[in-house]
Amino acid sequence: MPVLKRFFLMSLLCVIAAGLFACGNNPYPPADGKSINYTALAEDPRTLDPAQVSDTTSAEILDQIYDSLYQNAYLFRPYTVEPALAAGYPEKRIFYEEAREKGVTKKVARMEYTFRLRDDVYFQDDPCFPEGKGRRVTTRDVIYSIKRLADPAVQSTGYWLVAGKIKGMDAFFKKAAATGKADYSLDIEGLSAPDDGTLKITLTEAYPAFIYVMSMPYTAPVAHEAVEYYNAHGREGLSRHPVGTGAFRLKSWKRQHRIVLERNPTYRKEYYPATGAPGDREKGLLDDAGKRLPFVDEVWYTVIPTAQPMWLLFLQGYLDASGIPQEQFDRVITGKLDLSDAFMNKGISLEIGSDLDIYYITFNMRDPVLGKNTYLRQALSLAYDSDLYNQIYLNGRAINAQGPLPPGVFGYDPAFRNPYKTHDVEKAKQLLAKAGYPGGVDSRTGTRLELTYDIGSDSTRAREAATFDMRCFEQLGIKMRLQVNTFSQYLERTMKGTFQMTSGGWLADYPDPENFLQLLYGPNKPPNPNAASFSNPEYDALYERIKTMDDTPERQVLIHRMVAIAVEECPWIFNVHTPSYVLRHSWYKNGKNNSISGNYKKYVRIDVKARSAYCEAENRPDYKIAVYGLILLLALSLPAVVIKYRRRRR
Amino acid sequence: MAYYIARRLLLAVPTVLGVCLFTFLLFNIFASPEAIARKQLGKNPTAAQVQTWISSHGMDKPMFFNFERGRDHALHPFDSRFWNHMKELVLFQFPESDYLHEKVSSLLKEKIVPSLTITVPAFLLSILITLPLALFIAYYRGTYLDRTALFVCVILMSIVVLNYIIFGQYFLGIVLKYFPVYGYEFGLGAWRFVLLPIIIAVASGLGGGLRFYRTVMLNEVRADYVRTAMAKGVSEEMILFKHVLKNAMIPILTVTVLSIPFLITGSLLLEMYFGIPGMGNMMLNAISNHDYPVIRVLVYVYSLLYIAGSILTDISYTLVDPRITFK
């Protein structure tokens, strides 16, 4: 057969085959009548061992599988905790005992929590249990989980939450560190289980925020049978085989691909809340009040690290909810920060939620130039334009930060205005002159002030943002130098305090102001999270007080004072808080933004019929274009046929 | 041939050891054990925890030789960071990923197949399409067909791969709705998800491939034996596929056989944008999460593949050209 003919035939076959194979763009197999929530993850979870969780992605999955004694109330704002596996709130008792500290015997206050466990909580059915049936959870399982945090073999990322807080915890860790492995038969003085349903925890000092610790996956009950079974030689480990008490259990997990959770058939009786925050009823968030949880049969998490495919899948209806990629923001959101008509007409809704975070520029208080010169730091803060930063890098959606606390946290004062965040370059220049650098020149030596700005990544985004920050400061006549580090170099420099300025951010571990205010607490200086090495005796004393207090008006007054100190001393330039913009399709019911990740999937309901109708209408393949393409291909091949024909005739 | 291969393998040993040494120095100079530990231990690790992590990973051991007595009071001079690193790589006792807490060897096993589902068909299709096309274009050299083809090739080469991906996803997935824009299914169901990445891989390599093969063929098409064959009345197909192609095989093999071992390393961009859970995706994740054990194993594996590729290329020369012999 002539080769040209063969080639045309092959092309034709390829096109036909492609047409036959192209069987629509649905990325999922048939749901078989199940109600499935399709969602995306920006990265693969690092681990599904609750003691090792440190990233938000792992926490997102773990929270659905492992329930803790407490959980964040789904609808209430500001965030509050409510009992989950616990039968009610804990009893608290403060008592005094004599203790030797630094060679001196003194009376110290201790706090004892008594938790009671529900009697209908069972571990998920799993091969690690006899006959595969999950056994009843006892308070000894909670103790076991807490001990795992101090086991060097576990490499827990949550030990800091209990280190120095639970009586006897440090001694347990020390013994374990000496041998490289914890001995679980050893008791910890501050942990006891008088019976299967009671747990007593003695803290070294009053620490009301401890209830948040008991709502985190770190303290979720873990079955020792699961650890022993899955961590045995030749098995993949507990990090791949979670066995919890949550509304969902792991069905399958293919790394960098997909995680499927399925409804836990032995889940305790739990019902959708009947009360919520103001406005929730009007939004239909209480329509399912009193119904048994969870609503969906399965949750499919697809790992999608890039924004483009995530966005396309959302538009096709193959993802139930999505964030808004930066490059799409102007198309989706109007100038008034509303959803554009094109999206509203598709039945898509927008929720703007406040994330508990803060982004800031850190001054190194150990630096001889910046650390001792408050006027200089204040001048730099005044020169910084957070609003412009917000417009350029965050599509104008962020909130200009006035202090270390984000909105939604106890103690946040919406009326408070930071006098050094007014972006007033003239005033900044005056302060700079007061600082000893009129026009940016050192009045003693006559040399121009030069400051170094450190970044920990060579990415374009990091360079651009740093350049923006430096431009703001250069308006004052200061010379800025950019120091680009590898991540490890950056970590070293911040740990050793050998930098001058850098940017930073913090996302809340739990919704208590203490979690943010500790970032400027003197004893927390590097390598701990106080990267600025800020130390102020009044601030530190106040921190030690608010740490032990409940959310009372008195605590609020003290927090306001701490914020005022931080603002006046200016160890940071408080930059922005970033609210999250979430889009949801009409079939996604009961959606409410949760910035403190929690077990929220059990509240989600999916209207499967509405989704099918949308997907069918949006995703009907258009074969006409393929036919036109084929005709075009044949037409383009025609000259070759002509040449061939002519040559043969010759 | 056996002697030649044995000699090449022996010569590869210092290369591999050099790569091992280089990766060791790279990861031990640019990252301190404390920085690595803090990165892996999350937000607020205690100093004691950092120390425990470092010692449990053997990072507190001396760099090259250990002259301290161990718990058994004996000297273990080779119980050092360097020798442990070499042992892990050379004996294929790959360590555990710092970030994923899994053995790197089991991660490798999991990722190879998805990568191959794209790279092998794309590789074969590229050859099947570009080689005959290049033969024809070369045969019709100087005609407007050749010039048009060259012009199109230059355009195809000028477009970066990312644009092929974004356009392909948008046009074929969103506008025409023929293919899923993202996802993967393990097993036989994978074909639905790999079609679009394969089409894009072939299309993005078409311009460069055609130009390269055309140049190779042109050298042959002008040869005397082609003119003789034409004078004898041998058909065009026979000349092109039986004589020209055979004689042009050396440069073709150099390019193609060398790339065969790299099929298992996957395609970084395609895997990332189409959600193929393969080796390219794994490399990218390891880099972004500073997962040093995975990175050094991958660097080592890639170096082995390169050596294997170059040996295979040499062997393949003898198969197509009897004048080449091993010495």
Side-chain angles (χ1 to χ4, degrees):
Chain A
M1 189 191 284
V3 176
L4 267 180
K5 271 188 200 162
R6 211 182 298 161
F7 173 68
F8 287 132
L9 196 69
M10 208 173 75
S11 313
L12 194 69
L13 281 174
C14 281
V15 175
I16 292 168
L20 284 173
F21 281 134
C23 53
N25 58 7
N26 189 344
Y28 307 116
D32 296 331
K34 284 180 199 156
S35 170
I36 301 175
N37 172 212
Y38 295 113
T39 189
L41 284 178
E43 59 177 351
D44 211 22
R46 182 180 173 172
T47 173
L48 293 185
D49 182 338
Q52 293 172 337
V53 61
S54 64
D55 56 312
T56 48
T57 315
S58 302
E60 158 81 30
I61 309 290
L62 270 165
D63 281 332
Q64 318 312 324
I65 299 172
Y66 285 93
D67 271 356
S68 300
L69 292 193
Y70 295 88
Q71 62 190 5
N72 287 304
Y74 183 58
L75 297 175
F76 276 101
R77 297 293 179 277
Y79 292 96
T80 44
V81 290
E82 64 179 13
L85 301 185
Y89 289 94
E91 294 153 26
K92 285 188 273 185
R93 181 173 77 94
I94 292 181
F95 63 96
Y96 294 86
E97 65 177 16
E98 285 191 343
R100 277 184 78 81
E101 277 180 13
K102 292 172 189 168
V104 182
T105 307
K106 57 179 181 179
K107 256 191 169 178
V108 289
R110 307 282 193 214
M111 189 175 209
E112 186 189 73
Y113 273 103
T114 305
F115 301 95
R116 309 221 187 268
L117 196 66
R118 286 170 63 138
D119 58 6
D120 59 348
V121 181
Y122 287 83
F123 281 113
Q124 292 156 0
D125 291 346
D126 190 272
C128 69
F129 297 111
E131 292 169 27
K133 281 281 187 206
R135 67 162 169 82
R136 211 187 119 190
V137 176
T138 71
T139 44
R140 280 190 299 279
D141 297 311
V142 183
I143 293 178
Y144 178 72
S145 303
I146 296 173
K147 281 181 179 173
R148 290 189 78 232
L149 303 181
D151 186 348
V154 174
Q155 294 177 24
S156 173
T157 50
Y159 177 61
W160 63 280
L161 286 161
V162 290
K165 293 190 178 91
I166 296 177
K167 207 176 157 194
M169 198 74 209
D170 292 358
F172 181 82
F173 177 80
K174 221 180 251 178
K175 271 185 203 160
T179 56
K181 201 176 180 327
D183 179 356
Y184 288 88
S185 64
L186 292 176
D187 286 333
I188 293 175
E189 209 182 334
L191 284 175
S192 64
D195 57 64
D196 282 356
T198 310
L199 170 69
K200 283 183 187 289
I201 299 182
T202 308
L203 304 181
T204 51
E205 60 179 349
Y207 181 51
F210 191 74
I211 196 162
Y212 296 118
V213 175
M214 298 307 285
S215 73
M216 295 168 86
Y218 293 115
T219 54
V222 170
H224 67 90
E225 295 95 326
V227 177
E228 286 151 16
Y229 183 83
Y230 287 113
N231 284 354
H233 183 70
R235 296 209 172 97
E236 284 177 309
L238 191 74
S239 60
R240 290 292 303 250
H241 296 274
V243 183
T245 56
F248 297 95
R249 61 181 183 180
L250 183 69
K251 186 179 176 188
S252 65
W253 177 13
K254 291 281 183 190
R255 275 214 179 273
Q256 288 159 353
H257 172 50
R258 183 172 292 146
I259 293 179
V260 177
L261 305 183
E262 64 180 357
R263 181 197 289 267
N264 171 15
T266 59
Y267 189 57
R268 64 181 188 275
K269 280 185 182 158
E270 196 177 335
Y271 302 94
Y272 193 88
T275 51
D280 282 353
R281 189 172 296 282
E282 293 73 22
K283 288 179 198 158
L285 286 172
L286 294 176
D287 290 354
D288 287 322
K291 290 184 184 163
R292 181 120 188 236
L293 301 174
F295 292 115
V296 294
D297 298 311
E298 289 183 0
V299 184
W300 287 41
Y301 290 97
T302 305
V303 181
I304 312 178
T306 40
Q308 146 109 348
M310 195 185 313
W311 181 245
L312 296 180
L313 287 175
F314 174 72
L315 293 182
Q316 290 175 319
Y318 296 133
L319 287 178
D320 299 329
S322 169
I324 308 172
Q326 201 181 359
E327 62 276 11
Q328 299 288 344
F329 195 82
D330 293 338
R331 228 184 102 205
V332 182
I333 304 293
T334 64
K336 291 176 183 167
L337 296 182
D338 292 326
L339 192 62
S340 68
D341 288 346
F343 285 82
M344 286 227 273
N345 293 341
K346 284 178 181 246
I348 293 169
S349 64
L350 167 73
E351 189 192 1
I352 304 173
S354 62
D355 273 357
L356 301 185
D357 65 7
I358 179 157
Y359 292 89
Y360 48 85
I361 292 167
T362 306
F363 296 122
N364 180 9
M365 299 295 280
R366 285 191 274 175
D367 181 72
V369 179
L370 284 162
K372 294 191 178 103
N373 200 330
T374 311
Y375 287 133
L376 176 58
R377 296 194 301 273
Q378 289 169 345
L380 293 169
S381 178
L382 270 167
Y384 193 74
D385 192 348
S386 287
D387 288 331
L388 189 60
Y389 176 88
N390 183 15
Q391 286 301 329
I392 295 173
Y393 297 104
L394 300 164
N395 304 103
R397 58 176 123 170
I399 298 165
N400 194 334
Q402 303 296 314
L405 298 181
V409 161
F410 179 81
Y412 172 77
D413 181 1
F416 176 73
R417 288 288 166 270
N418 181 335
Y420 307 108
K421 275 303 300 289
T422 50
H423 182 54
D424 186 338
V425 178
E426 282 316 306
K427 201 173 159 194
K429 284 179 177 168
Q430 288 166 19
L431 280 174
L432 195 65
K434 265 177 143 179
Y437 300 99
V441 177
D442 190 334
S443 52
R444 287 166 302 164
T445 60
T447 52
R448 194 161 289 282
L449 173 63
E450 185 178 329
L451 295 173
T452 305
Y453 192 101
D454 275 70
I455 55 173
S457 159
D458 195 22
S459 69
T460 315
R461 177 70 198 261
R463 277 178 181 270
E464 274 178 13
T467 307
F468 172 86
D469 295 351
M470 294 195 304
R471 287 272 155 79
C472 290
F473 307 135
E474 281 166 353
Q475 292 175 85
L476 303 177
I478 295 169
K479 199 173 164 192
M480 294 297 301
R481 196 175 72 85
L482 182 66
Q483 171 75 41
V484 182
N485 303 285
T486 62
F487 182 77
S488 301
Q489 286 169 334
Y490 180 72
L491 216 57
E492 296 264 5
R493 283 172 71 84
T494 48
M495 276 192 306
K496 289 180 183 159
T498 53
F499 70 100
Q500 281 193 302
M501 299 167 76
T502 187
S503 59
W506 189 263
L507 183 67
D509 297 297
Y510 44 84
D512 192 87
E514 178 263 336
N515 192 238
F516 286 91
L517 296 171
Q518 55 119 8
L519 300 174
L520 295 171
Y521 175 54
N524 273 356
K525 62 177 187 286
N528 292 316
N530 178 4
S533 301
F534 176 64
S535 183
N536 178 293
E538 189 188 353
Y539 184 96
D540 292 350
L542 287 169
Y543 172 79
E544 277 156 24
R545 282 184 67 193
I546 64 115
K547 197 172 77 161
T548 61
M549 293 169 80
D550 285 315
D551 288 346
T552 57
E554 191 197 349
R555 192 183 195 219
Q556 182 148 334
V557 171
L558 300 183
I559 289 170
H560 286 173
R561 176 65 196 139
M562 290 177 78
V563 171
I565 294 169
V567 163
E568 197 55 37
E569 287 288 315
C570 215
W572 290 352
I573 296 175
F574 306 99
N575 192 3
V576 288
H577 308 294
T578 58
S580 60
Y581 281 55
V582 180
L583 297 178
R584 294 191 188 94
H585 279 293
S586 59
W587 56 82
Y588 189 105
K589 307 291 182 191
N590 304 331
K592 184 155 184 169
N593 177 60
N594 263 272
S595 78
I596 298 282
S597 69
N599 48 7
Y600 68 98
K601 286 288 181 196
K602 63 185 173 188
Y603 304 100
V604 173
R605 184 165 59 79
I606 298 293
D607 181 348
V608 178
K609 275 187 189 160
R611 176 166 54 202
S612 301
Y614 178 96
C615 289
E616 226 164 81
E618 287 285 320
N619 298 303
R620 209 165 289 133
D622 184 355
Y623 289 113
K624 265 187 293 181
I625 295 180
V627 175
Y628 297 149
L630 185 63
I631 293 169
L632 186 72
L633 190 74
L634 290 173
L636 286 174
S637 312
L638 210 60
V641 180
V642 173
I643 291 176
K644 170 89 181 161
Y645 178 72
R646 280 185 187 161
R647 285 199 175 187
R648 187 160 284 180
R649 281 192 66 187
R650 258 188 268 150
Chain B
M1 190 201 256
Y3 172 74
Y4 175 80
I5 293 172
R7 205 167 54 121
R8 284 295 307 267
L9 287 173
L10 275 177
L11 279 172
V13 172
T15 314
V16 172
L17 293 180
V19 170
C20 292
L21 178 68
F22 179 71
T23 49
F24 173 77
L25 293 175
L26 202 67
F27 291 121
N28 282 277
I29 287 170
F30 290 109
S32 73
E34 190 176 353
I36 299 171
R38 285 190 177 277
K39 169 73 188 159
Q40 301 304 337
L41 284 170
K43 265 170 145 182
N44 292 330
T46 62
Q49 234 187 329
V50 170
Q51 205 43 53
T52 311
W53 192 95
I54 290 170
S55 60
S56 69
H57 283 72
M59 288 184 177
D60 55 347
K61 288 179 181 165
M63 191 77 95
F64 290 100
F65 293 101
N66 191 347
F67 296 114
E68 286 168 27
R69 290 192 183 276
R71 281 186 185 162
D72 56 354
H73 303 291
L75 269 179
H76 302 283
F78 295 111
D79 185 17
S80 68
R81 282 153 71 183
F82 173 70
W83 290 107
N84 288 340
H85 160 89
M86 294 298 274
K87 202 173 92 183
E88 280 171 356
L89 296 185
V90 173
L91 300 179
F92 290 92
Q93 294 170 349
F94 294 150
E96 195 176 79
S97 151
D98 280 347
Y99 190 74
L100 303 170
H101 300 285
E102 273 183 61
K103 284 271 178 205
V104 181
S105 46
S106 66
L107 288 171
L108 285 174
K109 271 185 228 158
E110 201 178 281
K111 305 293 167 201
I112 285 174
V113 173
S115 282
L116 290 177
T117 54
I118 297 185
T119 50
V120 171
F123 172 75
L124 293 176
L125 265 178
S126 288
I127 295 174
L128 281 176
I129 292 173
T130 45
L131 261 183
L133 267 178
L135 270 171
F136 278 110
I137 293 167
Y139 193 74
Y140 294 115
R141 69 191 180 280
T143 63
Y144 84 95
L145 188 75
D146 178 36
R147 283 193 288 272
T148 313
L150 273 182
F151 177 70
V152 174
C153 282
V154 172
I155 291 176
L156 290 176
M157 284 165 71
S158 313
I159 302 169
V160 288
V161 183
L162 196 61
N163 285 343
Y164 282 100
I165 293 173
I166 292 173
F167 176 78
Q169 269 184 335
Y170 184 74
F171 186 69
L172 294 171
I174 296 286
V175 178
L176 301 184
K177 297 150 184 140
Y178 291 168
F179 304 99
V181 293
Y182 193 89
Y184 190 77
E185 216 173 291
F186 286 83
L188 290 175
W191 65 266
R192 287 180 62 232
F193 298 94
V194 298
L195 273 177
L196 186 54
I198 290 170
I199 290 171
I200 288 172
V202 172
S204 62
L206 197 63
L210 266 179
R211 287 248 314 162
F212 171 75
Y213 291 132
R214 177 187 166 276
T215 312
V216 171
M217 302 299 177
L218 274 183
N219 292 334
E220 290 301 321
V221 169
R222 291 183 186 125
D224 288 343
Y225 70 87
V226 174
R227 203 174 302 124
T228 313
M230 284 172 81
K232 283 186 170 181
V234 181
S235 72
E236 283 169 6
E237 288 80 18
M238 202 69 157
I239 296 170
L240 288 175
F241 285 93
K242 193 156 182 196
H243 300 289
V244 175
L245 185 61
K246 209 169 176 184
N247 282 293
M249 276 315 260
I250 294 286
I252 293 171
L253 282 175
T254 308
V255 173
T256 49
V257 180
L258 196 63
S259 57
I260 288 173
F262 286 95
L263 296 178
I264 66 170
T265 64
S267 163
L268 207 124
L269 276 178
L270 283 172
E271 289 184 10
M272 191 171 84
Y273 272 83
F274 288 99
I276 312 295
M279 297 279 284
N281 230 331
M282 178 182 166
M283 182 65 153
L284 196 81
N285 275 300
I287 293 168
S288 59
N289 294 316
H290 304 91
D291 196 349
Y292 296 121
V294 175
I295 298 171
R296 64 194 167 96
V297 168
L298 286 179
V299 170
Y300 176 68
V301 170
Y302 287 6
S303 72
L304 292 184
L305 289 174
Y306 188 81
I307 290 164
S310 97
I311 295 174
L312 274 179
T313 311
D314 286 356
I315 295 169
S316 66
Y317 289 161
T318 59
L319 301 177
V320 294
D321 192 341
R323 290 169 299 181
I324 299 173
T325 51
F326 294 118
K327 279 186 181 169

